[in-house]
Amino acid sequence: MLNALPKIPVGEYKERWDKVQKVLEDQKLDMLLVYADDRFTYGAAYARYYGNLPVAFEPVLLLFAPGKDPVLLVGPETLGYAQEVGTIPQIRVLKEFAAENEDYPFIALTPLKDAVAECVQGDIRRIGIGGKSIMSAEIYETIMQVFPQAQLLKMDQILEPMRGVKSPAELEVIKYAYHLANLGMEAAVNAVRPGVTEREIAAEAEYVMRKNGSEGTGIDSIIVSGPNSRHILGRATTRVLQENDFLSI
């Protein structure tokens, strides 16, 4: 069954790259840098949408230049994983993403300026930025320092609506995600009884979802009881459920 899980066809990613080319043209951009990280829910969105990369640990940048396929800019520990699961064949290990106190003798580190120079010739005056709201100040400042004459333009108001139009393949993936969530909810409800902990309930839900093909959860499972349930957000703790507790799943 798990071999038949719905997936996004590789060719669909190329169609998404072509739409970015139209954005570059319409907005008169010399290039577009799109940021992604492993923050819950939103962090990996752009890397997943354009390169099927579920970001872990290190941040990434996606570099789009007029008339070129995108280049994925990663940290040294992401390289192998990105090559294995991603759909963007051109990958550079960014020097700015390498830890200062680590040595990487078998990996070539490329400064951001050089990675861009491979794709963009001439003066760079207008740079589109995607994911600016979650980008660290350090990375944003690095872009400003490398391209001091360039105007940095936030592009999320254009890029995000593009992601909102779902293809038939995306709809099938979303439907299966709902199926997984329903399985998890059912398992969680069935695990509820006095004497179990919130984390035990979370473990039952996550086990069932993983077993049926989930790669993880968009946010950490919220299983909160008693006084822990007073808030909108929460995380499962070792609190033991009591008789007549209020429980939020």
Side-chain angles (χ1 to χ4, degrees), residues 10-207:
V10 173
E12 195 162 303
Y13 293 96
K14 181 64 167 61
E15 295 173 4
R16 297 171 183 178
W17 303 348
D18 291 340
K19 292 178 181 179
V20 175
Q21 289 296 319
K22 186 68 166 54
V23 173
L24 291 169
E25 180 181 355
D26 291 346
Q27 300 301 313
K28 296 179 173 57
L29 299 177
D30 296 305
M31 69 175 184
L32 172 69
L33 288 173
V34 182
Y35 175 83
D37 59 26
D38 60 358
R39 186 176 307 191
F40 276 147
T41 306
Y42 183 81
Y46 283 125
R48 197 62 189 269
Y49 186 73
Y50 292 116
N52 195 36
L53 179 63
V55 187
F57 185 58
E58 296 176 325
V60 305
L61 285 170
L62 295 91
L63 168 61
F64 292 89
K68 303 286 184 63
D69 285 343
V71 178
L72 185 63
L73 308 176
V74 304
E77 296 184 35
T78 301
L79 177 60
Y81 186 59
Q83 290 171 327
E84 180 182 348
V85 305
T87 61
I88 298 178
Q90 296 188 76
I91 304 174
R92 299 292 182 272
V93 179
L94 209 60
K95 182 178 181 180
E96 287 83 354
F97 285 167
E100 294 181 359
N101 59 345
E102 294 282 349
D103 293 324
Y104 305 99
F106 305 109
I107 297 177
L109 302 179
T110 304
L112 175 60
K113 183 176 182 179
D114 293 346
V116 170
E118 294 179 16
C119 304
V120 184
Q121 283 72 48
D123 293 337
I124 297 175
R125 298 294 181 180
R126 290 172 59 85
I127 301 176
I129 301 291
K132 180 177 180 290
S133 62
I134 61 172
M135 182 183 292
S136 71
E138 183 177 7
I139 293 175
Y140 191 76
E141 289 171 358
T142 296
I143 297 172
M144 293 177 62
Q145 291 167 4
V146 174
F147 306 102
Q149 305 302 320
Q151 182 182 10
L152 304 186
L153 305 165
K154 186 176 180 180
M155 287 290 113
D156 296 287
Q157 71 276 13
I158 296 174
L159 298 176
E160 287 178 352
M162 292 167 59
R163 295 209 322 268
V165 180
K166 302 303 182 185
S167 69
E170 286 178 284
L171 292 176
E172 290 304 312
V173 171
I174 291 171
K175 288 177 183 178
Y176 195 77
Y178 274 107
H179 170 66
L180 291 173
N182 288 333
L183 291 176
M185 180 63 74
E186 182 179 3
V189 170
N190 290 338
V192 173
R193 61 185 182 278
V196 302
T197 67
E198 295 170 355
R199 286 181 183 169
E200 287 178 290
I201 296 172
E204 293 294 331
E206 291 166 12
Y207 168 75

